[in-house]
Amino acid sequence: MPDQLLVFELKLPLVTFAQAVRAIPGLEFVGEDDEGLQDDDGTAGAGHYYAVFGDRAALQETLRLWDLWERGRALPDGEIKSWERVFACLHDLRKWGARDRISPAHSETFASLAGELGPGETTHAEIELIFRRGRASADDARNRTRQALAGAGAREINSVRHEEFAYDALLVELSFEAVQALARREERGIAAIADAYRIRPQSIGHGEPPDDYGAAEAIELAEPPGAADDPVVAIFDGYPVANHPYLAGRIVLDDPDNLERFAVGPRLHGTAMCSLVIHGDLSVPSSPVQRPVYVRPFLADHHNFEGVPAEQSLPTRLLVDDIVRAVRRMKVGDAGAPASAPNVVAINISFCVHGVFFDGLASPLARCLDWLSAEHGVVFVVSAGNCLEPLVIPQFEDDTAFVAADDMVRTNSILDAVRQSQLHQVLLSPAESVNALTVGALHWDELGAPSALGASYDPLPTGVLPSVVSRIGHGINRSIKPDILAPGGKLRVTLLPTERPAAINRAGRASRFGGLKVAGPVIDAAVAQTGWSGATSGATALTTRALHLVHDALETAYGEQFMRLSSHHRALLLKTLTLHRAMWPVSEEERIEQIFGEGQERHYTKKRADIARLYGFGVLDPDAAVSCAFSRATGWGIGNLLADQGQTFRMPLPEALIGQTERRSLTATVCWLSPVMPGRATYRATKLRIDEGEEGFDPMLAGLGAKLSPHQNDGRHTQRGTVLHRRWEGQRACEFDDGDEIELKVSRIGDDPDETGAAAPFAIAVSLEAAGELPIYDQVLQNIDVEIRPQIRPRVRI
């Protein structure tokens, strides 16, 4: 018989539940320490947690005790009385069933799929099995599942098992009737398969093409990089036009699955993403990246339900397996062939996986990316996903009221509508990945179109705000997601005139009135049209370009010394330095706090969490990420930490600051790649922290006249993922002696006892800057050793 799962549905704080469970001999709550179990406002969130019982008798006895408790009966004497503390924490205790296997969000997706099907038509779904380490027990579970599928009239199309991230799944074809039953979460048929852990819609990557093109224009570009230069950035996307004037000589196309035979359309999405990574927004002239970009096609041409040409991943494949195969081929080789692009340290995934939502548990795609990142030393740059459903705006009675509103009222009303719909605007898989750099779209471009133009409108005509299509966080264990926002175009919306109250259509595509300019259809080798892209796909590509520019700057400055660093350290440096200069737009904080906290008494950390849900760590600043300034010095370092080990880094304080009262700030960013533990509440296996005391991390910080900035995430919130980002600022007179240094200690804490003990690679960036024209850069530089070491020892200077 299969193992059985019990679901614990909490009503009291998780920390209380964890303490109660630990009091029962033989049971263990596998999660964070008590501090990590706290929610952002100092309490803790309720939720669903589960236990696996290999012994059916033990499961039945637990359910019997719960039944006694629910009926107000006394529990037996002895150690079993400890269950009273556990039961007092619960709303419900039940066997794992249909409403656990199918989340409410995925139930809605199945309902939508059923609405698009008719009797006799089919669609696909993924059945993830309860993962079993032993091959024999896993095979038994698969055989039982296949028998149950046959009895339910379902057909297996594909199957995959990856022990590294606890993934065992079947891709199945379901009838119209079976999809309806899944939508209703009925305890029968597919949803009643005992060995099924989760049932989701198939993870299909989608690329939405532009539908607006500019005039043909002549192209004059710099010479492409040399053919011998190895790529350091990869793009997993649609098939591009490889000989496009903007791309020729600048991409390395690798198509082992021969997707070219399906790429019979104009190849728009892949071409657009390559254009943005290589050249950026063509509305803003800039230099291309220094190396060719490796491109692995994933999407093929098809027509969607409205008959519109689009691009998607292959429906007969499990996307998880395709990504694993692609990364292994690229980094270590396959079938005896050498690695196709071993120097790649950043991978762009701009396509969205529609219908597969983050529902509190890490999706298979997220687990896959997390494992690949830690195993191969790459950072995935992924889209937070687009929300294209209509947005109802309760503050406007109808479309006439919307049109009559001024820009400020319209902006605030739409933000309030986003607040009210945020539970339906959660991240799309795999954006919750803890190791990935997840990108949301900023409502921004360089086009300057008016707020009202014909029947289309700029939905957010004032401020520096997230796009209305950009999905919002948080991530796993309420970690900060998205990590960063990047320009996704001022995408325009149209009204749905029959709706009461007013509603806007968010499904409009980028155009010359709102979007990012990209390479479009080819005319000939010297003349081409341009197109328009945007939303989170375009924002993700621009962020990947920023990582490549960081790599270009480091390679230019340090040459082979930098290139000889491990893949893990190079990848982490790109992520760290890209995030390092990201900041919240201070001008928007009060607006967000007022709108998202309307009518509520809200804890300070809850207010911070509202802003983080929208902005992550802040807005991308690619220029500042690759440069210092006369009055700003940025140092970086790398290291490896064993369990319970710390490393201290030092930065000299510039003499020019002594006695000065100009505003100054100190910013520190630390990134690492954590192995993960699927099925455990803690999920990530490695946790780092920046040691902070009352004044920050060092008494010398008081000498800088600085304290923790209020314009950043709460410190506890930042410790839930794999990025630490802290900022101190002030303008009291600086009081320190010439030769003094700031010390920053990074520690590894709280490892799971099952961890292997391998060293955790990390990267750090620290910036010291001041207003005015003070020689900060020169004075810091003259007091540091800039030699690169593969591993930085404790207490070395950056």
Side-chain angles (χ1 to χ4, degrees), residues 130-442:
I130 299 170
F131 191 79
R132 295 165 173 81
R133 292 290 176 188
R135 175 63 69 173
S137 60
D139 288 344
D140 288 344
R142 278 195 173 208
N143 290 334
R144 286 192 299 268
T145 300
R146 285 170 172 145
Q147 292 173 7
L149 288 172
R155 182 173 71 91
E156 180 182 341
I157 296 180
N158 209 331
S159 64
V160 169
R161 178 180 170 88
H162 287 288
E163 293 199 13
E164 302 90 346
F165 48 95
Y167 180 61
D168 197 345
L170 304 173
L171 177 63
V172 299
E173 183 181 64
L174 301 179
S175 67
F176 167 70
E177 293 76 15
V179 176
Q180 284 186 314
L182 292 178
R184 293 191 290 263
R185 303 164 85 189
E186 295 177 1
E187 201 69 59
R188 65 181 180 86
I190 306 297
I193 294 176
D195 293 285
Y197 171 53
R198 303 286 277 184
I199 302 174
R200 301 178 177 90
Q202 184 180 7
S203 297
I204 291 283
H206 291 267
E208 296 296 334
D211 59 355
D212 187 25
Y213 303 104
E217 56 187 46
I219 300 201
E220 295 183 9
L221 296 171
E223 286 295 317
D229 292 334
D230 291 335
V232 296
V233 163
I235 299 174
F236 290 0
D237 208 274
Y239 210 102
V241 179
N243 63 348
H244 193 288
Y246 279 105
L247 307 187
R250 301 181 187 278
I251 65 172
V252 175
L253 184 61
D254 186 18
D255 182 23
D257 295 330
N258 193 25
L259 288 190
E260 185 177 18
R261 69 189 189 277
F262 300 118
V264 295
R267 307 181 183 183
L268 297 174
H269 197 268
T271 301
M273 295 306 104
C274 289
S275 174
L276 286 169
V277 171
I278 294 169
H279 300 284
D281 181 358
L282 295 176
S283 299
V284 186
S286 56
S287 300
V289 296
Q290 292 180 4
R291 287 173 173 263
V293 174
Y294 178 89
V295 179
R296 171 69 182 259
F298 271 76
L299 311 182
D301 291 313
H302 83 299
H303 288 75
N304 63 20
F305 287 104
E306 290 78 32
V308 178
E311 298 169 73
Q312 72 169 39
S313 57
L314 298 180
T316 58
R317 302 279 311 169
L318 282 159
L319 187 57
V320 166
D321 193 47
D322 286 346
I323 289 177
V324 170
R325 291 189 305 110
V327 174
R328 283 176 169 166
R329 173 183 174 86
M330 189 176 65
K331 294 293 291 183
V332 298
D334 61 355
S340 56
N343 272 321
V344 162
V345 290
I347 301 173
N348 184 92
I349 299 182
S350 280
F351 56 79
C352 295
V353 180
H354 295 321
V356 182
F357 303 96
F358 172 54
D359 56 7
L361 297 175
S363 66
L365 274 174
R367 303 201 310 265
C368 164
L369 300 193
D370 285 331
W371 174 73
L372 288 170
S373 295
E375 180 73 12
H376 295 291
V378 294
V379 56
F380 287 91
V381 189
V382 301
S383 159
N386 298 330
C387 189
L388 304 180
E389 294 77 16
L391 179 66
V392 176
I393 312 169
Q395 293 191 24
F396 294 129
E397 180 180 345
D398 53 27
D399 57 327
T400 301
F402 177 95
V403 173
D406 64 31
D407 286 351
M408 182 66 73
V409 171
R410 183 192 304 169
T411 298
N412 290 348
S413 298
I414 288 182
L415 280 176
D416 185 64
V418 170
R419 175 188 66 83
Q420 295 185 54
S421 68
Q422 59 187 309
L423 294 179
H424 301 284
Q425 204 163 324
V426 296
L427 302 172
L428 289 181
S429 170
E432 74 273 21
S433 161
V434 296
N435 286 332
L437 179 57
T438 302
V439 184
L442 185 72

Side-chain angles (χ1 to χ4, degrees), residues 536-612:
T536 56
S537 291
T540 301
L542 287 182
T543 304
T544 301
R545 170 177 167 80
L547 267 72
H548 203 311
L549 293 176
V550 170
H551 194 285
D552 292 346
L554 292 173
E555 186 178 6
T556 298
Y558 303 105
E560 284 301 311
Q561 285 184 301
F562 169 68
M563 292 302 295
R564 284 198 297 268
L565 298 180
S566 70
S567 287
H568 289 77
H569 283 135
R570 284 194 295 130
L572 286 167
L573 275 172
L574 304 192
K575 181 178 178 180
T576 301
L577 289 168
T578 300
L579 284 171
H580 184 58
R581 299 305 302 173
M583 288 185 285
W584 292 348
V586 175
S587 60
E588 303 301 338
E589 290 184 40
E590 183 177 354
R591 188 202 313 239
I592 299 300
E593 288 179 2
Q594 289 178 349
I595 292 175
F596 277 70
E598 182 180 3
Q600 304 176 40
E601 289 292 332
R602 297 170 71 75
H603 192 279
Y604 169 81
T605 55
K606 200 70 173 178
K607 296 177 181 179
R608 303 292 90 187
D610 284 337
I611 300 174

